[in-house]
Amino acid sequence: MNLPMNTVSDDALVTRMYDLVRTGEGDAQELMQLDAAIYGRLAEAYGETIPELDALPRIESRWAA
């Protein structure tokens, strides 16, 4: 099932990134997308903007939370 990244929970994003890094799996694109989603949510939570994140392509997750 493909879910838009914005429907995946914060916990699921961080867990997925941790699992990819821990196991050495995943491609650079997925890691960059997870990184952008996590930093974007942090910025939003603290009322900041990160212009560089807007330039990154939006993705759909290949995994379900």
Side-chain angles (χ1 to χ4, degrees):
M1 175 194 292
N2 285 334
L3 298 171
M5 189 63 78
N6 62 357
T7 64
V8 178
S9 73
D10 295 345
D11 291 345
L13 288 175
V14 173
T15 299
R16 177 64 176 161
M17 180 174 267
Y18 174 80
D19 288 342
L20 288 175
V21 171
R22 183 178 55 81
T23 62
E25 295 177 9
D27 57 37
Q29 182 180 2
E30 185 177 7
L31 289 172
M32 286 181 8
Q33 293 163 342
L34 287 166
D35 183 62
I38 292 167
Y39 274 101
R41 290 184 187 190
L42 283 170
E44 184 179 315
Y46 290 99
E48 299 292 326
T49 59
I50 303 173
E52 295 82 12
L53 295 180
D54 293 332
L56 293 173
R58 297 295 174 227
I59 61 141
E60 292 196 5
S61 172
R62 288 171 282 200
W63 45 275

